[in-house]
Amino acid sequence: MTDMVSAERRSQIMARIRSTDTTPEMTVRRLLHRMGYRFRLHVRDLPGRPDIVLPKYKTAILVHGCFWHGHRCKDGRRPKSNMGYWNGKLDRNKNRDKINKQRLRRAGWKPVVIWACQCTEEDRLMDIIRNALDE
Ligand SMILES: [Zn+2]
């Protein structure tokens, strides 16, 4: 009986692990790796702790969720209810992103935003990465 419960728990845990593997950030990381780029993750000593950093290219890749970071796409639409709350929260996120990008530039880094909705097609994503790195 206990075994069954733990097996169920385990499958829940595994399901969660699998789902984190398919996040947009993981997609970008896998692709960069396959393209042969070397990178570091979540670099603490850079403004905003960028998701992915390519030291050789002095480039910081910020993988942004469309909703939380306010992309102008259908996933970035703001909720119609509780608007005061959401507008305040999402405006603060956008503002923070803007400041982090400015700070990165000032520190000599090129910030590149990749939106979650751009991570669904690999060919397109590869183009975005190559353009960002001037390759
Ligand atoms: Zn989007």
Side-chain angles (χ1 to χ4, degrees), residues 14-63:
M14 289 314 290
R16 210 172 302 137
I17 289 166
R18 264 199 302 279
S19 79
T20 61
D21 278 350
T22 60
T23 60
E25 191 191 314
M26 280 302 300
T27 306
V28 175
R29 279 157 60 170
R30 263 201 304 266
L31 204 56
L32 282 168
H33 184 76
R34 216 188 306 148
M35 291 167 85
Y37 293 111
R38 315 231 9 190
F39 53 88
R40 291 175 58 206
L41 302 174
H42 308 289
V43 177
R44 283 171 188 281
D45 49 356
L46 284 179
R49 201 165 167 258
D51 300 312
I52 300 166
V53 162
L54 291 94
K56 188 181 161 193
Y57 296 84
K58 273 278 190 174
T59 296
I61 295 179
L62 316 164
V63 185

Side-chain angles (χ1 to χ4, degrees), residues 1-13:
M1 202 56 197
T2 352
D3 280 339
M4 273 183 66
V5 172
S6 81
E8 194 186 6
R9 273 284 299 151
R10 176 152 308 147
S11 85
Q12 281 172 357
I13 291 162

Side-chain angles (χ1 to χ4, degrees), residues 64-67 71-76 115-118:
H64 279 178
C66 299
F67 177 73
H71 194 207
R72 283 182 195 157
C73 71
K74 67 171 171 51
D75 298 333
W115 294 98
C117 67
Q118 297 174 321

Side-chain angles (χ1 to χ4, degrees), residues 52 59-64 101 104 109-115 128-129 131-133:
I52 300 166
T59 296
I61 295 179
L62 316 164
V63 185
H64 279 178
K101 279 189 278 182
L104 281 165
W109 290 80
K110 179 186 179 182
V112 172
V113 172
I114 294 181
W115 294 98
I128 292 167
I129 291 167
N131 282 335
L133 303 176

